[in-house]
């Protein structure tokens, strides 16, 4: 049966519009980007995440041919920024600057999240692996080695408070894993971000923190804090004199690895060609000698992976931290 003329005209017009839309979509990657790209930040200005984002901001903008803009949407251990980007248009212009905490730990830590850390995001590119380091205020804890630290805490259960950059962040989970492995009884005090947490340690409000190497270097070089052990399996170049926790010989520390990564994620549905262009641009920037030296000189290790490789990293990381969260019996409503 033939359709009425009006319906045939409408159907033909709809078909043409659909074809044009598909053609425009197919051409989009070649034209992308046509305006600035935004990094939505999970943690505040001055944090380790922010320092890294600002390090690659300008060179990445040059590689893309459009400026990179930083937008802070801080709160709930990165969940505010993650939720915002999960609902953003999947056009490659709005990315969340995530971490192993925001896109790994939080899935196990929070009983209810308004997004799925895997299903609602497309892994774009890792930036680097970050080593935390057990950092103490020597005026609060007069210890010089990890063994002395462990002995003192064990002799004084519940006495010492440790700071973190927020509930469920990498700084929290690194300490939670150490305490769980060694049976240490310490009190967790979460702060809004890195600057506040470090000030708490410097003022003696808390004894210590598992903070990123790059965020404690200035205080360490000034003699204000003491470093007892890095959380990566091996020592890091920036503080080569500081042993890895894994090499301490203390039972329970074998193969200890609570390093984390920083990375870019796009909303689900983002065109794979756009993701590919972003990944290639990030890799190009990270392989620039001056950028690599700057990042690794601060205690980080540049991580180069394709989107497909990084997707596997994200999944493995989520499973690892789910085990740590269960062992430490931590949850957030």
């Amino acid at each position: 049966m033939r359709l009425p003329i009006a319906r045939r005209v409408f159907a033909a017009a709809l078909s043409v519009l659909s074809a044009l839309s598909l053609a425009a979509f197919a051409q989009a990657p070649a034209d992308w980007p046509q305006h600035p790209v935004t990094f939505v930040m999970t943690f505040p200005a001055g944090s380790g995440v922010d320092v890294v984002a600002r390090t690659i901001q300008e060179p990445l903008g040059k590689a893309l041919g459009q400026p990179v803009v930083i937008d802070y949407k801080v709160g709930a251990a990165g969940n505010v920024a993650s939720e915002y980007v999960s609902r953003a248009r999947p056009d490659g212009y709005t990315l969340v600057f995530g971490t192993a905490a925001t896109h790994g730990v939080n899935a196990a830590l929070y009983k209810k999240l308004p997004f799925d850390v895997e299903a609602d995001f497309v892994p774009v590119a890792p930036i680097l692996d970050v080593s935390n380091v057990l950092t103490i205020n020597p005026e609060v804890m007069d210890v010089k080695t990890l063994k002395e630290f462990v002995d003192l805490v064990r002799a004084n259960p519940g006495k010492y408070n440790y700071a973190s950059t927020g509930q469920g962040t990498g700084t929290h989970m690194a300490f939670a894993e150490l305490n769980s492995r060694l049976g240490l009884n310490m009190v967790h005090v979460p702060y809004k971000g890195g600057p506040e947490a470090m000030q708490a340690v410097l003022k003696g409000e808390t004894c210590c923190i598992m903070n990123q190497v790059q965020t404690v270097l200035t205080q360490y070089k000034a003699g204000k804090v003491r470093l007892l052990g890095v959380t990566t399996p091996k020592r890091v170049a920036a503080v080569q004199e500081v042993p890895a926790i894994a090499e301490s010989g203390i039972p329970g520390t074998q193969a200890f690895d609570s390093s984390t990564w920083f990375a870019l994620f796009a909303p689900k549905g983002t065109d794979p060609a756009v993701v590919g262009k972003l990944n290639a641009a990030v890799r190009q920037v990270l392989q620039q000698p001056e950028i690599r030296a700057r990042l690794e000189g601060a205690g980080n290790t540049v991580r180069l992976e394709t989107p497909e490789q990084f997707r596997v990293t994200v999944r493995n990381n989520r499973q690892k931290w789910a085990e740590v969260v269960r062992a430490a019996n931590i949850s957030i409503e």
Side-chain angles (χ1 to χ4, degrees):
M1 184 176 69
R2 293 173 61 86
L3 292 171
I5 293 177
R7 290 181 62 184
R8 277 185 280 151
V9 171
F10 177 77
L14 185 61
S15 177
V16 171
L17 287 173
S18 297
L20 289 174
S21 296
L22 287 172
F25 183 76
Q27 293 171 1
D31 299 331
W32 187 93
Q34 297 181 340
H35 58 77
V37 174
T38 298
F39 285 173
V40 179
M41 301 303 296
T42 44
F43 296 100
S47 64
V49 175
D50 182 56
V51 171
V52 172
R54 291 195 175 277
T55 300
I56 68 170
Q57 179 183 14
E58 185 177 348
L60 183 59
K62 290 180 179 178
L64 293 172
Q66 290 286 348
V68 171
V69 177
I70 291 180
D71 182 18
Y72 299 93
K73 295 192 182 297
V74 178
N79 289 335
V80 172
S82 296
E83 180 180 6
Y84 177 85
V85 173
S86 74
R87 302 176 188 277
R89 291 182 61 185
D91 53 14
Y93 290 106
T94 305
L95 310 172
V96 63
F97 205 102
T99 70
T102 64
H103 286 71
V105 174
N106 288 1
L109 194 64
Y110 287 81
K111 292 183 178 179
K112 292 183 179 180
L113 285 175
F115 55 85
D116 186 305
V117 295
E118 286 196 57
D120 289 340
F121 297 92
V122 177
V124 173
I127 308 298
L128 46 75
D129 289 324
V130 183
S131 176
N132 288 318
V133 59
L134 177 52
T135 305
I136 68 165
N137 182 329
E139 295 183 2
V140 178
M141 299 183 84
D142 187 18
V143 296
K144 295 181 173 63
T145 67
L146 180 63
K147 185 179 185 308
E148 291 178 358
F149 172 88
V150 171
D151 290 344
L152 181 60
V153 172
R154 284 177 172 166
N156 298 274
K159 175 181 177 180
Y160 291 103
N161 300 338
Y162 69 91
S164 82
T165 57
Q167 189 85 328
T169 61
T171 58
H172 175 205
M173 298 312 299
F175 234 126
E177 183 174 8
L178 183 71
N179 290 343
S180 177
R181 283 192 179 210
L182 303 185
L184 304 181
N185 182 355
M186 302 185 72
V187 179
H188 173 222
V189 183
Y191 289 84
K192 291 182 179 180
E196 295 87 351
M198 272 307 299
Q199 281 303 308
V201 175
L202 294 172
K203 291 177 180 178
E205 295 174 7
T206 58
C207 69
C208 45
I209 186 172
M210 284 275 203
N211 214 349
Q212 296 151 17
V213 171
Q214 62 186 358
T215 62
V216 304
L217 276 176
T218 300
Q219 291 85 356
Y220 171 58
K221 291 177 179 178
K224 295 180 179 179
V225 296
R226 189 172 291 157
L227 308 184
L228 302 184
V230 295
T231 63
T232 41
K234 298 180 180 180
R235 301 189 185 200
V236 297
V239 286
Q240 187 64 36
E241 69 278 11
V242 180
I245 290 174
E247 67 178 273
S248 69
I250 300 172
T253 62
Q254 291 82 359
F256 186 86
D257 180 8
S258 271
S259 57
T260 185
W261 39 255
F262 295 168
L264 293 172
F265 293 83
K268 68 177 179 181
T270 302
D271 190 311
V274 171
V275 172
K277 289 183 74 171
L278 274 165
N279 182 276
V282 169
R283 290 162 66 92
Q284 175 187 328
V285 168
L286 294 178
Q287 292 180 88
Q288 294 176 14
E290 65 275 17
I291 298 297
R292 188 163 195 150
R294 187 173 171 184
L295 292 172
E296 296 193 338
N300 308 302
T301 302
V302 166
R303 179 188 279 265
L304 301 173
E305 291 181 345
T306 65
E308 293 74 22
Q309 291 170 330
F310 185 46
R311 184 181 294 278
V312 175
T313 296
V314 172
R315 180 170 291 114
N316 291 341
N317 179 85
R318 181 182 59 76
Q319 294 170 350
K320 185 257 189 186
W321 285 115
E323 294 174 3
V324 172
V325 168
R326 282 194 296 270
N329 194 28
I330 304 170
S331 67
I332 301 175
E333 295 293 338

